[in-house]
Amino acid sequence: MKIICIGLNYMDHIREMNNPIPEVPVFFLKPDSSIIRNNKPFFYPEFTNDLHYELEVVLKINRLGRNISEKFAHRYFSEIGLGIDFTARDLQRLCKEKGMPWEMSKAFDGAAPISEFVSKGKFNDLGNIRFRLEKNDAIVQKGTTSDLVFKFDSIISYVSRFITLRTGDLIFTGTPVGVGPVQIGDRLKAYLEDELMLDFFIK
Ligand code: ZN
């Protein structure tokens, strides 16, 4: 399986990163070796001094598809969850400055903790799902999918023009404003609406 991540997909986050608004979805990949499940701890890597959390709503692809039209995109996922797109911001900055790919800053081991997945039928409106991240019990990120620049259907349609989607693939849909650093000893808790989905420590 593969993980596809959308960058720069919430206006306030685009502003905090001082980036222009993308005209089409920006995406990159993480390997399956970046996944952490079951709230296992995340071990702070030695190659960065500026590790950032990015909380994101994650779609789980449930059938094979390519060149999917926006109209039918909703048929390609039935469950959603939450994930952290851990980013070594110092390495990412270096990669960006040199115009190089930024995988080393986002695709490393453990860079994608994910929650359990829940049926999308649980939500009245997929276009307005609230989610939030708490660091040591203080809210640091608060988002709603109504603020997405590119909505779920448009992401699936666009990405599938380039990459075949397979059952079990995950799509991280972008992070809202409020990204910031973590330190060893921090505890991260993430909620989808009011349900606790992620709860783990940085070690
Ligand atoms: Zn991200």
Side-chain angles (χ1 to χ4, degrees), residues 57-125:
V57 174
V58 181
L59 314 178
K60 190 193 241 179
I61 297 298
N62 65 356
R63 70 185 62 194
L64 183 76
R66 61 187 293 266
N67 270 320
I68 300 161
S69 73
E70 239 176 85
K71 196 172 127 197
F72 295 121
H74 65 275
R75 297 182 183 174
Y76 288 79
F77 69 102
S78 51
E79 292 180 310
I80 68 171
L82 289 177
I84 309 277
D85 168 17
F86 271 128
T87 304
R89 199 66 77 196
D90 44 1
L91 297 185
Q92 188 193 31
R93 214 171 288 126
L94 287 177
C95 295
K96 280 183 171 175
E97 274 168 21
K98 294 182 180 161
M100 301 290 276
W102 65 33
E103 266 72 11
M104 68 193 287
S105 71
K106 280 181 171 284
F108 53 84
D109 288 355
I114 52 170
S115 71
E116 297 288 315
F117 286 78
V118 294
S119 166
K120 69 180 185 186
K122 270 187 67 174
F123 304 92
N124 294 330
D125 180 4

Side-chain angles (χ1 to χ4, degrees), residues 5-8 13 28 54 56 85 87 106 172 174-175:
C5 303
I6 308 298
L8 305 171
H13 173 62
F28 56 93
E54 295 188 356
E56 315 203 357
D85 168 17
T87 304
K106 280 181 171 284
F172 279 56
T175 196

Side-chain angles (χ1 to χ4, degrees), residues 16 23 27 30 33 38 49 54 60 64 70 86 90 94 98 138 156 164-165 172-173 196 199:
E16 79 179 334
E23 284 166 22
F27 67 88
K30 290 183 191 252
S33 44
N38 302 321
N49 294 307
E54 295 188 356
K60 190 193 241 179
L64 183 76
E70 239 176 85
F86 271 128
D90 44 1
L94 287 177
K98 294 182 180 161
I156 288 174
T164 296
L165 300 179
F172 279 56
T173 56
L196 180 63
D199 182 3

